[in-house]
């Protein structure tokens, strides 16, 4: 298999590190004046959904799809404007969270790469600088 993401869960071994990662991530989002307003006031569900998605995507139990159906991430992100600034803010928050979760140290590079590609794929808004003149 040629999917370096899908072997991570096995190496990590349990859900716990994912919930830690997601807690750190949302602690960064709490301080993020660009992203915070896009999320609901109560982040409990957002945390659980992100943890379950990452567990599933990295080769762990498929609880996310059992509860939420097909991930359809681009569709689920359509309600939120995601341009370069939002993408970069998300990635910075996740980078900080990864640094604070040593369980992922061996996988940080692969994950950073995956997140960069995936967050770029989720972009759904042209930034002002990308608009034609006039
Ligand atoms: C690699 C990049 C990303 C991943 C893996 C990711 C993953 C997820 C997941 C799994 C959910 C929950 C979907 C559900 O089951 O309802 C979600 C929701 C959400 N995402 Fe992302 N996302 C990414 C990038 C972004 C970016 C760049 C933004 C910037 C605006 C963003 C904003 C949101 C918001 C506002 C929600 C809704 C939270 C809620 O209502 O509970 N995401 N994302």
């Amino acid at each position: 298999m040629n999917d370096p993401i899908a072997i991570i869960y096995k190496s990590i071994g349990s859900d716990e590190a994912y919930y830690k990662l997601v807690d750190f991530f949302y602690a960064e989002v709490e301080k993020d004046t660009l992203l915070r307003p896009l999320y609901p006031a109560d982040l409990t569900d957002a945390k659980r959904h992100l943890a379950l998605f990452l567990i599933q995507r990295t080769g762990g139990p498929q609880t996310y799809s059992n509860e939420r159906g097909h991930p359809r991430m681009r569709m689920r992100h359509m309600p939120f404007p995601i341009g370069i600034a939002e993408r970069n803010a998300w990635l910075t928050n996740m980078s900080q969270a990864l640094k604070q979760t040593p369980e992922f140290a061996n996988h940080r590079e692969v994950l950073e790469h995956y997140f960069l590609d995936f967050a770029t794929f989720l972009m759904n808004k042209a930034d002002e600088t990308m608009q034609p003149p006039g």
Side-chain angles (χ1 to χ4, degrees):
M1 183 162 49
N2 196 15
D3 183 359
I5 295 296
I7 54 103
I8 292 176
Y9 185 87
K10 224 181 201 143
S11 141
I12 301 280
S14 81
D15 294 358
E16 201 187 333
Y18 289 81
Y19 284 99
K20 270 172 75 174
L21 177 71
V22 161
D23 271 342
F24 284 127
F25 172 75
Y26 279 106
E28 296 298 317
V29 170
E30 289 277 19
K31 299 182 278 180
D32 189 319
T33 52
L34 180 64
L35 296 191
R36 184 63 188 92
L38 302 175
Y39 285 88
D42 182 348
L43 292 171
T44 313
D45 287 350
K47 283 185 190 179
R48 178 174 157 77
H49 295 155
L50 181 56
L52 290 178
F53 174 80
L54 294 177
I55 287 166
Q56 170 168 316
R57 182 62 189 86
T58 56
Q62 306 291 295
T63 315
Y64 179 88
S65 282
N66 292 339
E67 286 188 10
R68 310 276 300 152
H70 190 285
R72 290 184 217 283
M73 280 299 149
R74 236 185 102 74
M75 192 198 75
R76 287 191 208 268
H77 284 80
M78 281 303 171
F80 319 114
I82 306 181
I84 293 205
E86 290 82 4
R87 181 200 71 169
N88 290 349
W90 196 102
L91 291 171
T92 301
N93 295 332
M94 183 51 83
S95 242
Q96 290 300 324
L98 279 169
K99 283 190 198 136
Q100 295 169 83
T101 320
E103 289 90 331
F104 287 95
N106 290 337
H107 307 288
R108 214 202 287 170
E109 209 173 311
V110 168
L111 283 170
E112 296 262 20
H113 192 112
Y114 162 71
F115 286 134
L116 174 60
D117 281 356
F118 201 68
T120 304
F121 159 75
L122 292 179
M123 285 173 62
N124 54 25
K125 177 184 99 171
D127 287 86
E128 257 108 79
T129 49
M130 293 161 70
Q131 302 285 348

